[in-house]
Amino acid sequence: MNDEQGSPGPELRRPDPGLRGRRREPGSCVLPGPVSPPPVADSFVPDATPVSPMMATPRQATPPGGGIGTRTRDSSDASVMRSTGSMAVANLASRITGFVRMILILTVLGPAVASAFNTANTLPNMITELVLGSVLTAMFMPLLAKAAQEDEDGGVSFIRRLLTVTSALALGAAVLAVACAPLLTELNLGDGEVNTDLATAFAFLLLPQIFFYGVFSVMLAVLNYNGVFRPGAWAPVWNNLVAIATLALFAVVGSSIDPAAPVNLLSAPILLLGLGTTLGVVVQAAMLVPALRRAGVDLRPQWGLDPRIKQFGGHAVAGVTYVLISQVGLVMTNRIGSAADEAAIAIYQTYWLLLQVPYGIIGVTLLTAINPRLADNGVAGRNDAVVRDISWGTRLSLFGLLPIIAFMTAFGPTIATGLFRYGNFDASSARVLGLTLAFGAFTLVPYAVVLLQQRVFYAREDYWTPTVMILAITIVRVILSLIVPAVADERSHVVIGLALANGIGWVVGAIAGYVLLRAKLGSLRGRETLRSASWTLGASIAGALVALAVDAILPMDGLTDAVGSIGFVLRAAVAAVITLAVTGLILSRSRLPEIESITPVLRGLVGRLRR
């Protein structure tokens, strides 16, 4: 099986009417043979081919693996890890290009204009999440599983109706958001240090992205359920490349924006940044269309609400409430940061995007690969398999993220100075960003755990428990954020406290999620997770301490004084290699099962990078 479940799959087809009375394996084509009882998810077979209805030779029924129409998805551990390795390359490319984009925003635009631009560029994501974001598309997985298992056509008509309804919804949301652009920017910024008029001008040009983000989210869910992961992982790379080209052109033509000057929406610099950034999102969505066609997904509109979509409408209230509550926390962070310093929003969002680099490569990749299997197990009521997936996903997340957290905590200022102290982003802003990264890096672990727990609840068609969890997270985050300005020693340091408050909120959410899941599923294999976490945390701390010792012994200050920011890049690179090498050496002695799971992925990743 290759990264997209083989060569272009068979065309989806409606089953022979003569077979409608016969039993069928869930998630595959209609089969003339008997169907064995559903096995646990880790026994699914790869690349099962559809059986011709004319075959008379008896055969053993192959275990179901999920998938739409005639596609049968492999959901074994090996398949999930192969998909993880495949997507890791794409996600690495996505995070690197996103990283370059982030650097250009700060260094080309400067902190003040970057805060206005980032605020406006966040709005489409906020609205998309509210109307049809990752939370709702995660809820789609059980619906796709049911359609594949219950419908005579394997869920083909259901997919057409789902795409039609969600596209119409996203279009309506985009039009309404553009009309409300001034209100949205005022709500996010308040009467602070960031130029609200400039943010509003950008918002008019960026909010149409909502339609394309919404369509992309649903198409991505369909592809992922069918075991096709590569196109969705590479699509953001194209988005980033278009955005990078836009920023490079902005710098080359000598455009500039004065954050204190009157704003003209039709000025060339604003139009270039706004329209170029929106074009990237259009390209990102368009990249999935060929993959959907190869998967045999019929993209023709089909109006009408499937009864399951109507039923889902009630569940979607929980998802919308979830996102609305989470956005309250983000809005409060923006308003408090804007009131403190004009650079605070740019610094906070850059810190968060820095955390998304390792999370995107490890956490998102793992969630994307494991989510379809969670949906199958949850719909089928296989609680033992669900618990196994929770434990496995949590341990792998900790195994991958804890060493990176240790490195970021120990070397935050070094990392930020090396990467961002260029152009219009000065040394003072870079140091504040580094301290924000150091104090907030721990957020990666509870954040990854909560999102995994969320997928488990959705797989079990429990849509309100994650909403209760995000409410607890947001309450803690908002209360602590309101305290931050009163205790910060400098206005520019408020953003550090905001990052810390956010991380503590996610810790509360992870603890609440564990308690709630244990109440519903019983033992969650906590001892296995604790053993793995203890080994990985101890090894990571040891690695970071050794790196700090080497950094103190070697003449690193002389290097940075001689070559400036590039010296900090080299200094951080040496520290990263030492941290990861020592951590890996210690973990190689641990005999943790995660070592066996991750080794083939790393070998495959190295092989792909060499090619």
Side-chain angles (χ1 to χ4, degrees):
M1 183 187 75
N2 69 15
D3 303 321
E4 290 187 24
Q5 279 290 343
S7 56
E11 292 296 324
L12 296 180
R13 60 177 175 80
R14 299 186 182 278
D16 189 324
L19 297 174
R20 289 180 180 173
R22 304 185 186 182
R23 299 181 67 194
R24 170 173 71 87
E25 287 185 355
S28 65
C29 62
V30 175
L31 298 174
V35 178
S36 58
V40 295
D42 58 0
S43 65
F44 293 158
V45 295
D47 292 328
T49 54
V51 179
S52 168
M54 300 305 293
M55 287 179 62
T57 305
R59 66 166 185 83
Q60 290 184 331
T62 53
I68 295 295
T70 59
R71 296 183 66 88
T72 301
R73 170 174 36 79
D74 178 9
S75 295
S76 65
D77 277 357
S79 171
V80 171
M81 293 309 298
R82 283 194 299 270
S83 298
T84 300
S86 160
M87 287 184 292
V89 177
N91 278 327
L92 178 61
S94 174
R95 301 303 160 171
I96 291 174
T97 53
F99 197 67
V100 173
R101 173 181 181 175
M102 185 194 328
I103 293 173
L104 288 175
I105 288 174
L106 289 182
T107 58
V108 172
L109 303 183
V113 176
S115 288
F117 177 80
N118 283 344
T119 299
N121 202 31
T122 301
L123 292 176
N125 293 282
M126 291 176 63
I127 304 300
T128 304
E129 285 293 315
L130 185 61
V131 177
L132 192 70
S134 60
V135 173
L136 293 182
T137 50
M139 292 180 176
F140 287 154
M141 284 298 179
L143 291 181
L144 294 174
K146 282 189 173 182
Q149 293 172 15
E150 297 173 357
D151 293 0
E152 292 183 345
D153 62 358
V156 176
S157 295
F158 176 80
I159 291 298
R160 290 181 59 192
R161 289 192 177 98
L162 182 63
L163 287 170
T164 303
V165 170
T166 52
S167 298
L169 184 62
L171 179 60
V175 172
L176 182 61
V178 170
C180 297
L183 178 62
L184 292 172
T185 53
E186 177 66 27
L187 177 66
N188 271 269
L189 295 175
D191 187 19
E193 300 295 323
V194 180
N195 189 329
T196 305
D197 292 337
L198 181 58
T200 301
F202 283 129
F204 278 119
L205 301 172
L206 299 173
L207 283 168
Q209 297 173 11
I210 293 170
F211 171 73
F212 300 99
Y213 274 133
V215 172
F216 174 82
S217 296
V218 181
M219 292 193 297
L220 184 63
V222 174
L223 283 175
N224 287 349
Y225 184 75
N226 280 280
V228 181
F229 300 108
R230 183 190 284 181
W234 281 101
V237 176
W238 292 100
N239 181 2
N240 289 333
L241 290 176
V242 173
I244 289 170
T246 299
L247 289 162
L249 180 61
F250 182 89
V252 168
V253 299
S255 300
S256 63
I257 298 175
D258 184 353
V263 177
N264 178 10
L265 173 62
L266 299 180
S267 67
I270 291 178
L271 286 175
L272 174 60
L273 285 175
L275 296 179
T277 303
T278 298
L279 177 62
V281 182
V282 175
V283 171
Q284 174 179 297
M287 294 302 297
L288 297 191
V289 175
L292 286 166
R293 294 192 180 280
R294 287 196 301 270
V297 177
D298 191 342
L299 297 177
R300 293 174 300 167
Q302 183 171 343
W303 295 98
L305 288 177
D306 185 280
R308 285 163 299 208
I309 298 180
K310 293 180 181 179
Q311 181 184 8
F312 175 74
H315 300 318
V317 174
V320 171
T321 305
Y322 176 102
V323 177
L324 184 60
I325 293 171
S326 67
Q327 299 305 331
V328 168
L330 178 58
V331 168
M332 289 300 298
T333 297
N334 284 344
R335 291 177 71 93
I336 294 171
S338 174
D341 184 62
E342 67 177 7
I345 293 178
I347 289 174
Y348 184 88
Q349 293 186 358
T350 302
Y351 140 76
W352 188 246
L353 288 173
L354 278 171
L355 293 191
Q356 294 303 305
V357 174
Y359 177 71
I361 296 171
I362 298 169
V364 170
T365 300
L366 179 63
L367 271 183
T368 303
I370 203 174
N371 200 26
R373 189 171 84 176
L374 276 173
D376 287 333
N377 289 332
V379 169
R382 294 188 284 260
N383 288 347
D384 289 344
V386 170
V387 169
R388 176 183 174 279
D389 287 340
I390 297 171
S391 175
W392 186 62
T394 301
R395 286 183 280 118
L396 282 178
S397 296
L398 294 174
F399 189 83
L401 294 175
L402 282 175
I404 298 170
I405 292 171
F407 167 64
M408 287 182 167
T409 302
F411 294 93
T414 302
I415 296 169
T417 302
L419 295 176
F420 297 102
R421 197 184 70 177
Y422 305 96
N424 294 320
F425 201 72
D426 58 24
S428 175
S429 297
R431 176 167 176 78
V432 173
L433 172 57
L435 291 173
T436 305
L437 179 63
F439 279 90
F442 75 94
T443 308
L444 270 173
V445 165
Y447 178 74
V449 170
V450 167
L451 292 190
L452 176 61
Q453 293 168 343
Q454 177 196 91
R455 296 312 194 271
V456 175
F457 285 116
Y458 291 149
R460 291 171 53 81
E461 299 181 273
D462 179 355
Y463 301 112
W464 281 104
T465 299
T467 304
V468 174
M469 291 169 58
I470 198 64
L471 178 61
I473 293 169
T474 303
I475 289 174
V476 173
R477 175 182 179 182
V478 169
I479 291 175
L480 294 178
S481 296
L482 290 171
I483 296 173
V484 166
V487 300
D489 57 346
E490 297 180 21
R491 291 172 66 87
S492 63
H493 288 176
V494 167
V495 66
I496 301 173
L498 294 176
L500 187 60
N502 179 49
I504 294 173
W506 284 102
V507 169
V508 171
I511 294 172
Y514 179 84
V515 172
L516 292 170
L517 280 174
R518 187 181 176 89
K520 293 177 181 292
L521 298 174
S523 173
L524 300 179
R525 299 188 178 185
R527 290 184 179 179
E528 295 178 24
T529 303
L530 182 60
R531 177 175 179 269
S532 177
S534 298
W535 265 101
T536 308
L537 179 61
S540 301
I541 292 174
L545 289 176
V546 171
L548 283 171
V550 173
D551 185 79
I553 294 171
L554 295 179
M556 290 298 187
D557 289 336
L559 174 66
T560 54
D561 290 341
V563 296
S565 296
I566 297 299
F568 282 96
V569 173
L570 297 175
R571 189 173 185 174
V574 171
V577 170
I578 294 173
T579 301
L580 296 179
V582 173
T583 302
L585 180 63
I586 295 173
L587 288 177
S588 67
R589 305 287 183 176
S590 67
R591 296 183 180 179
L592 292 175
E594 291 78 24
I595 298 289
E596 298 179 4
S597 297
I598 205 70
T599 299
V601 176
L602 292 177
R603 289 174 179 167
L605 179 61
V606 171
R608 288 186 179 91
L609 291 176
R610 286 178 176 174
R611 293 197 296 269

